[in-house]
Amino acid sequence: MLKDNLMSVQDNIKQAAMRSGRELSDITLIAVSKTKPVEMIKEIYDLGVRDFGENKVQELVAKYDQLPGDIKWHLIGHLQTNKVKYIVDKVYMIHSVDSLKLAREISREAVKRGITVNILIEVNVAGEESKYGISPDELEETVRQVAELPGIIIRGLMTVAPYVVDSEENRPIFVKMKQFVVDIIQKNIDNVCMDCLSMGMSGDYTVAVEEGATYIRVGTSIFGERNYK
Ligand SMILES: *Cc1c(COP(=O)(O)O)cnc(C)c1O
């Protein structure tokens, strides 16, 4: 059953890429495995997926220890500064950098270990009260400040779009995100790469692909509904 889910998501991505004239190789599916057991992750891993997303530090660390070492772990949820030290050397990318303070802490821990950490700056495009992320007004300044920190490289932007029934409602948000990327590239800021744009979830990933997502984060459509006890 997981296999059918995965194949259908992969097929939808392919169709969306074709519609918008994009290369499939520019789009990476992150299987969001939060709350799901390692057996299910292993099943998806065995089907060839290597990018997995978790939103909690403790859960990521526990799964990291039980699963193959070639998995690229993406931290996609809000990260508290006091937990950075537990994951900085385990994650392939931190998508949810939502403050200068957090970026400073990641930088400090990275330098301590002599590593470079890939990060994305999380943008709260829709200005939702309930969401983390930098407001569009402060984005350029934040990128400039974070870019100066050692031990981290800004690879791009990430957003968690509003929950909508009709995915078309989020298209303007994805268009804006792509524009932010283009704008920042034009500023030519040192240490800023902007080759990654993380947006789109189960409800709207095909629209996100059409508008330029390089990472889509899909949980429910692969693993089924989550059961938060
Ligand atoms: C849970 C989560 C997802 C996946 O959501 P689905 O709707 O289950 O696909 C994507 N991004 C973030 C940041 C999440 O927390």
Side-chain angles (χ1 to χ4, degrees):
M1 197 200 85
L2 287 194
K3 185 180 181 185
D4 294 338
N5 289 351
L6 178 65
M7 282 171 63
S8 129
V9 170
Q10 286 170 332
D11 192 52
N12 291 338
I13 295 169
K14 201 165 149 187
Q15 302 294 335
M18 267 162 49
R19 277 196 298 278
S20 49
R22 298 192 58 205
E23 296 288 339
L24 202 51
S25 57
D26 290 338
I27 302 152
T28 301
L29 169 65
I30 298 174
V32 177
S33 48
K34 62 191 188 198
T35 80
K36 300 297 177 183
V38 291
E39 293 74 31
M40 284 176 97
I41 301 177
K42 192 68 192 352
E43 203 175 323
I44 294 296
Y45 175 92
D46 287 338
L47 294 164
V49 175
R50 291 295 176 270
D51 293 82
F52 289 88
E54 289 286 337
N55 68 340
K56 292 209 166 71
V57 167
Q58 210 181 346
E59 194 173 339
L60 191 153
V61 170
K63 288 172 175 173
Y64 178 94
D65 287 336
Q66 297 174 64
L67 286 156
D70 63 343
I71 288 182
K72 291 176 180 169
W73 290 102
H74 297 260
L75 187 78
I76 60 174
H78 178 64
L79 176 58
Q80 288 169 296
T81 50
N82 62 348
K83 295 198 175 152
V84 169
K85 55 179 178 286
Y86 302 117
I87 49 120
V88 80
D89 56 353
K90 297 191 169 62
V91 289
Y92 173 73
M93 187 175 279
I94 300 175
H95 290 230
S96 43
V97 177
D98 53 11
S99 71
L100 183 58
K101 182 175 168 239
L102 175 59
R104 284 202 178 110
E105 182 60 18
I106 297 169
S107 166
R108 217 173 58 86
E109 290 292 337
V111 168
K112 216 156 88 178
R113 291 169 171 77
I115 58 173
T116 303
V117 181
N118 293 311
I119 66 155
L120 304 179
I121 302 292
E122 180 170 357
V123 188
N124 185 356
V125 199
E128 290 176 283
E129 287 282 343
S130 60
K131 293 257 168 79
Y132 291 103
I134 305 292
S135 79
D137 300 346
E138 294 164 5
L139 182 57
E140 186 186 336
E141 188 52 28
T142 305
V143 168
R144 286 187 185 281
Q145 289 172 320
V146 173
E148 289 182 7
L149 301 171
I152 56 185
I153 176 158
I154 303 180
R155 293 288 304 274
L157 305 179
M158 175 271 212
T159 198
V160 180
Y163 177 78
V164 290
V165 177
D166 176 5
S167 60
E168 282 300 327
E169 286 178 57
N170 278 338
R171 190 180 295 276
I173 297 212
F174 298 145
V175 169
K176 265 191 203 161
M177 285 297 292
K178 177 70 191 186
Q179 192 57 49
F180 292 146
V181 165
V182 170
D183 290 347
I184 293 170
I185 289 171
Q186 278 172 357
K187 312 269 181 201
N188 257 319
I189 307 167
D190 277 352
N191 209 22
V192 176
C193 183
M194 286 291 145
D195 59 330
C196 301
L197 179 53
S198 169
M199 59 187 191
M201 305 171 29
S202 288
D204 54 18
Y205 66 89
T206 56
V207 177
V209 166
E210 286 168 10
E211 299 305 338
T214 68
Y215 281 116
I216 55 169
R217 311 177 307 264
V218 179
T220 310
S221 293
I222 295 173
F223 294 104
E225 294 289 335
R226 284 176 294 273
N227 189 0
Y228 294 99
K229 278 164 277 169

